[in-house]
Amino acid sequence: PVVRSRAGIFVWLNAALAARPLTDDMTILTYIQGRSSDNPQSLVVDLLVAAFDVLTNFMLTKEPRQNAKVVRSFICNKLPAMIAILANNMQPAISADACIQMALMPGGMISMDPLPPISAGATDVRDSLKTTRLEFLQACVLHGLVNEQTVALILQESVALPRVAKLNKDNLVTQCANNVSKLAEHIEELAGMQGNVGAIAGCVVETVNNMCMSKDTMSLKSVCDKLIRRIPYMDFVMQYTQPGMLLLPLCNLLNDWTHDQDQSEFTPAYEEFASILLFTLAVIYRYDLSFADIGILGGSFVARLLEDMTVSKPPSELPAEQASQLTQWIEGLFAVDEHGDTSGIGDDVMRQCSPQSFYTLVPTLFEQSILACRSQTLPMNTFKSGLELLLEPFLLPSLVMGLGWLAKHSWEDHSDADVLIQVLEKLLKPSSNAPETQAMHRAVLAMVATPLHNSLEEYSRKHPNKKATELLDLLKPHLNQQRSLRSRQNELDQWLQDEQGLQGRVQQAIRALISWSSTSTNPPNPPPHYTHRTFAIACQLLDSQTLLDAIVTEVNKSEYNNVPIALDVCTSLICAPAPVPMGAQQATHWTSPLGKLRAHVRIASSDAQALLCLAKSQAETLVRLGRRVQAQMSFAAQMPAMSM
């Protein structure tokens, strides 16, 4: 029999919220309906229970605070809207009130006390779960899913609910079109847990789109400046959209930017470009996106920038126009007056060089400047004074390319570590206290801190250095700001040293999930310490056959009564949403590591000749698993793909 286990939907939702949120309506509805059931009400209950399971899991595994906030926002803002859609569209009709009561009634399926009362952190976890439950119920009242009597029944006490107005995306868009400063207020509300974030997220995306369409770059700059201060809030926006919906219009605007050489002043245009570019790059970096994920063309400015962001070129290889622009920028940054002071970037330099051209030159500019400094052609004080200009808002995104180049530069081979450390001291500690500059600088550090820290750490290990240690400390708060499932170098090193290995970890996780899902207790046991990242990295590092063998072995080890649960858990793992363009998640596309595993399951489970060579139990499990995966993924393929 086909079983829809608690662990199965937990695994799937955990994957959807593990990195860039993959929780747009289409993705969730596809999955929910793919787990077809004779009892539609149970699907809603299962989804709600799984969401609290994921939150509990994130807290028990001590995930970063922001990751838990993303799950809380999903529960309080996304789920009420999803339940409303499901309640209104399912046949036979279901009662949202009944579903919510079934999931949340005390002594029921969700425990507010996953840890023993006197254990460390038990109070914090309980308080957080109870707060989330209350906020979810308040949001359900806002969406008309339950009334105050139901809330009192679930909480077993009467609670005065705050009076919150239900926001409407179209009304918000109209407000912001008439007064762009309104959007700044709403951006701050993205972190709210009142049930309105979906409308606000939609407003942000649509307003940015409209500004790009109308080329209102002045207003767009102000919006991007606000968003740059709140890059983690994009995690909440991404629960409702695909990256391309937000980023493609921005990229198109940057790609098609008109550089008017006849204007009288160039700094404002450079400032606008800088804010828009930095916000775009910050979002791309946070979710580890490629230009293909966004939907932009390979030869465009943004695509080329993403591919060659930290690559310098010998001046002899530059076209004449670029070589001339490079010379002008070097002279503009480092030319000094009779007092030895740098004079700043004049309009003549910017007139001859579009912002796009400037940013593509930055790695080469850094390399040539450091070479000049190392050979003492350029005095260090002059160099540092010139670098000060790159900390101005109109040029500040150049630090992404410059510091990125510096992180990849071989410190050992070029004997210029002392110069590099002085450069870092200058660029990592901006002298300006202006909030806009500080926010832009933090956004830059979020992108460059991890590779820079790795380079500095390696250098410091071989050449202990007080200044390097100070810089490492300065970078620490900005490390690992990506929400990505790609494995980091230190993780790879850990896996290589781990006797159990990735394969063993995956099997251990499957075992724990099966055991948890097959054990019924009151109150229910908390979910096991599971992180989807382990499975995602296994898909990247292990070949598909090795991973499939591990999965099949674990299913076969299960007790007879638990085999359906094991199959459901493993199907959910294999069919987990992957952070790739929507088309690649569907059954006919196999571009992601997880997609390759799915393809391998499909081929292995339908190869009759190969199946005959396997042990009977292994062949049977493989066929059953293949059918389950095919059923889930074929349903996804039938759903209309959400436009990027």
Side-chain angles (χ1 to χ4, degrees):
V2 173
V3 168
R4 289 165 193 84
S5 67
R6 182 167 183 164
I9 192 166
F10 162 76
V11 162
W12 189 90
L13 192 57
N14 195 304
L17 293 165
R20 167 168 67 84
L22 301 166
T23 54
D24 58 79
D25 292 357
M26 190 58 68
T27 301
I28 292 185
L29 289 171
T30 299
Y31 176 71
I32 286 286
Q33 293 180 42
R35 283 176 79 86
S36 57
S37 169
D38 298 333
N39 181 2
Q41 193 160 287
S42 71
L43 293 178
V44 176
V45 174
D46 290 350
L47 184 62
L48 182 48
V49 170
F52 273 91
D53 283 341
V54 172
L55 178 59
T56 303
N57 170 259
F58 273 36
M59 288 191 287
L60 296 185
T61 53
K62 294 185 168 52
E63 287 273 334
R65 189 182 293 268
Q66 174 67 10
N67 295 11
K69 271 188 191 170
V70 170
V71 184
R72 286 186 60 220
S73 183
F74 174 80
I75 291 171
C76 299
N77 292 296
K78 182 80 186 182
L79 269 188
M82 287 301 309
I83 292 170
I85 292 171
L86 290 166
N88 293 330
N89 292 289
M90 280 205 161
Q91 295 297 329
I94 60 171
S95 161
D97 187 297
C99 292
I100 292 164
Q101 283 196 54
M102 199 180 300
L104 288 175
M105 283 302 275
M109 305 172 81
I110 299 171
S111 172
M112 296 290 118
D113 289 290
L115 291 172
I118 57 170
S119 57
T123 305
D124 289 344
V125 172
R126 180 176 64 247
D127 289 349
S128 186
L129 287 170
K130 284 189 169 181
T131 301
T132 305
R133 179 179 64 179
L134 175 60
E135 288 168 335
F136 167 73
L137 290 170
Q138 289 170 347
C140 287
V141 172
L142 183 76
H143 285 266
L145 301 175
V146 298
N147 56 33
E148 294 193 21
Q149 287 75 26
T150 299
V151 175
L153 197 63
I154 291 170
L155 299 179
Q156 297 188 318
E157 61 177 329
S158 183
V159 177
L161 299 179
R163 297 293 166 210
V164 178
K166 187 178 178 185
L167 300 181
N168 174 277
K169 184 203 77 173
D170 294 334
N171 292 345
L172 293 180
V173 170
T174 304
Q175 282 177 29
C176 295
N178 297 329
N179 180 3
V180 74
S181 65
K182 278 278 181 193
L183 191 59
E185 297 171 26
H186 293 310
I187 287 168
E188 293 304 312
E189 294 168 358
L190 281 168
M193 302 288 168
Q194 297 179 312
N196 275 322
V197 169
I200 298 168
C203 169
V204 169
V205 174
E206 193 163 321
T207 301
V208 167
N209 273 252
N210 292 342
M211 288 175 176
C212 291
M213 289 285 287
S214 62
K215 291 189 163 50
D216 181 2
T217 52
M218 191 184 296
S219 298
L220 187 57
K221 176 200 177 323
S222 71
V223 170
C224 288
D225 286 340
K226 295 290 185 298
L227 290 168
I228 283 166
R229 294 183 189 188
R230 299 292 187 207
I231 292 297
Y233 285 13
M234 299 315 297
D235 298 346
F236 308 129
V237 174
M238 287 296 154
Q239 293 191 25
Y240 301 88
T241 191
Q242 294 284 335
M245 301 288 280
L246 174 70
L247 294 175
L248 184 56
L250 289 166
C251 291
N252 287 339
L253 181 71
L254 293 166
N255 290 336
D256 301 334
W257 192 272
T258 303
H259 182 62
D260 181 6
Q261 294 189 331
D262 296 329
Q263 59 195 350
S264 58
E265 198 180 355
F266 291 87
T267 303
Y270 259 75
E271 281 183 339
E272 289 168 9
F273 191 92
S275 292
I276 298 165
L277 176 65
L278 184 58
F279 171 66
T280 303
L281 291 179
V283 177
I284 288 171
Y285 173 82
R286 186 167 181 83
Y287 304 115
D288 196 18
L289 301 169
S290 69
F291 64 82
D293 295 328
I294 303 164
I296 54 179
L297 297 174
S300 62
F301 159 69
V302 175
R304 283 185 285 112
L305 192 66
L306 292 178
E307 288 201 317
D308 298 332
M309 196 177 296
T310 60
V311 178
S312 62
K313 295 175 183 172
S316 59
E317 291 182 14
L318 294 175
E321 185 182 16
Q322 277 194 316
S324 168
Q325 290 168 342
L326 177 65
T327 302
Q328 287 180 316
W329 275 103
I330 289 173
E331 288 174 356
L333 286 168
F334 305 123
V336 293
D337 58 22
E338 65 272 17
H339 304 295
D341 297 324
T342 50
S343 52
I345 300 295
D347 281 330
D348 284 346
V349 176
M350 290 185 277
R351 177 179 284 110
Q352 302 303 325
C353 184
S354 68
Q356 294 106 314
S357 299
F358 166 67
Y359 287 106
T360 54
L361 279 173
V362 170
T364 306
L365 174 66
F366 261 68
E367 182 175 54
Q368 293 306 309
S369 304
I370 284 169
L371 284 172
C373 203
R374 195 177 77 197
S375 64
Q376 299 183 342
T377 310
L378 177 64
M380 177 52 79
N381 285 341
T382 305
F383 185 28
K384 290 203 281 193
S385 296
L387 291 177
E388 188 82 42
L389 291 167
L390 298 182
L391 291 164
E392 293 293 327
F394 75 106
L395 297 178
L396 212 148
S398 64
L399 299 192
V400 177
M401 301 89 205
L403 292 173
W405 172 84
L406 206 141
K408 290 188 175 178
H409 176 73
S410 173
W411 291 45
E412 292 291 320
D413 297 345
H414 297 92
S415 309
D416 51 12
D418 183 54
V419 174
L420 299 182
I421 283 176
Q422 290 191 63
V423 170
L424 285 178
E425 282 188 303
K426 188 70 184 173
L427 295 180
L428 297 184
K429 302 173 183 175
S431 54
S432 170
N433 291 320
E436 179 192 348
T437 306
Q438 293 275 338
M440 291 179 82
H441 194 261
R442 282 194 301 274
V444 168
L445 288 185
M447 286 183 263
V448 300
T450 302
L452 256 185
H453 191 275
N454 293 343
S455 295
L456 256 178
E457 198 170 42
E458 190 176 336
Y459 170 75
S460 195
R461 203 178 297 123
K462 296 174 184 174
H463 309 280
N465 182 305
K466 186 185 174 188
K467 286 182 178 177
T469 305
E470 288 173 2
L471 291 170
L472 285 168
D473 290 340
L474 195 147
L475 289 168
K476 260 180 195 164
H478 306 281
L479 294 176
N480 302 327
Q481 296 287 308
Q482 278 189 314
R483 286 184 64 89
S484 161
L485 293 174
R486 189 181 297 181
S487 53
R488 294 185 279 267
Q489 187 59 50
N490 60 341
E491 287 177 319
L492 293 178
D493 295 340
Q494 285 173 3
W495 290 124
L496 290 171
Q497 293 165 13
D498 187 348
E499 288 180 18
Q500 192 179 11
L502 262 178
Q503 189 176 335
R505 286 295 179 98
V506 169
Q507 289 181 298
Q508 184 184 37
I510 293 171
R511 252 192 320 275
L513 288 162
I514 295 166
S515 172
W516 170 61
S517 203
S518 60
T519 307
S520 182
T521 60
N522 193 0
N525 288 328
H529 283 212
Y530 168 78
T531 58
H532 178 68
R533 187 175 185 79
T534 304
F535 185 71
I537 292 173
C539 289
Q540 293 167 44
L541 300 184
L542 300 178
D543 68 86
S544 296
Q545 186 60 51
T546 301
L547 193 51
L548 181 56
D549 286 345
I551 290 169
V552 169
T553 299
E554 216 46 54
V555 174
N556 283 341
K557 279 185 189 173
S558 302
E559 293 177 19
Y560 179 76
N561 290 342
N562 292 341
V563 168
I565 293 173
L567 284 168
D568 188 53
V569 168
C570 294
T571 301
S572 292
L573 278 171
I574 295 166
C575 297
V580 290
M582 278 299 286
Q585 286 183 38
Q586 296 178 0
T588 52
H589 296 75
W590 307 109
T591 55
S592 69
L594 194 53
K596 287 175 186 168
L597 176 62
R598 288 177 199 150
H600 191 74
V601 171
R602 181 169 56 87
I603 293 164
S605 62
S606 58
D607 185 344
Q609 197 62 44
L611 287 168
L612 288 171
C613 300
L614 298 176
K616 185 184 175 188
S617 61
Q618 197 173 2
E620 285 178 352
T621 298
L622 192 51
V623 169
R624 290 170 73 186
L625 185 64
R627 285 174 182 164
R628 292 288 302 273
V629 169
Q630 192 64 24
Q632 180 70 52
M633 296 313 298
S634 61
F635 192 89
Q638 292 163 23
M639 296 293 281
M642 187 173 177
S643 65
M644 291 290 283

